[in-house]
Amino acid sequence: IQANLAGAADAIMLDIDGYVSETNATNIFMVDDEGVLLTPAADHCLPGITRGTVLELAKELGIPCEVRRISLAEFHAAEEVFTTGTMGELTPVTLID
């Protein structure tokens, strides 16, 4: 509701403990300041086919990645954030408010 009222294209959804789980329509990834690709564990989001493909490609390319609980503060401090989904494929996130 808050995202709709703010005119946002998408909204970051939190799990019951306040950690990022996904957006309302896609899976979400971030790259931290050490170049590690992170995505929330699939226990609070849909596993996603495109999400799985990104994780598989990262592994094949030797890109360090972690699947774990991630705080909203970590997403605010991220070097890069993007979403994945069947319809949107890979989409950059340009603003987290």
Side-chain angles (χ1 to χ4, degrees), residues 9-93:
D10 212 346
I12 294 176
M13 309 297 282
L14 306 178
D15 67 19
I16 195 165
D17 298 319
Y19 290 92
V20 172
S21 60
E22 60 188 354
T23 74
N24 60 321
T26 59
N27 293 110
I28 190 165
F29 287 81
M30 63 169 273
V31 178
D32 70 11
D33 60 352
E34 295 178 4
V36 178
L37 178 67
L38 296 108
T39 191
D43 54 348
H44 293 285
C45 70
L46 294 173
I49 294 169
T50 309
R51 175 184 179 271
T53 301
V54 168
L55 291 171
E56 185 177 312
L57 288 171
K59 183 178 178 181
E60 288 177 13
L61 295 170
I63 298 169
C65 55
E66 295 180 20
V67 177
R68 63 170 176 83
R69 297 180 110 186
I70 307 170
S71 71
L72 187 56
E74 288 177 275
F75 273 93
H76 279 283
E79 293 294 318
E80 182 178 343
V81 177
F82 63 93
T83 61
T84 62
T86 302
M87 297 300 288
E89 298 175 354
L90 274 73
T91 305
V93 174

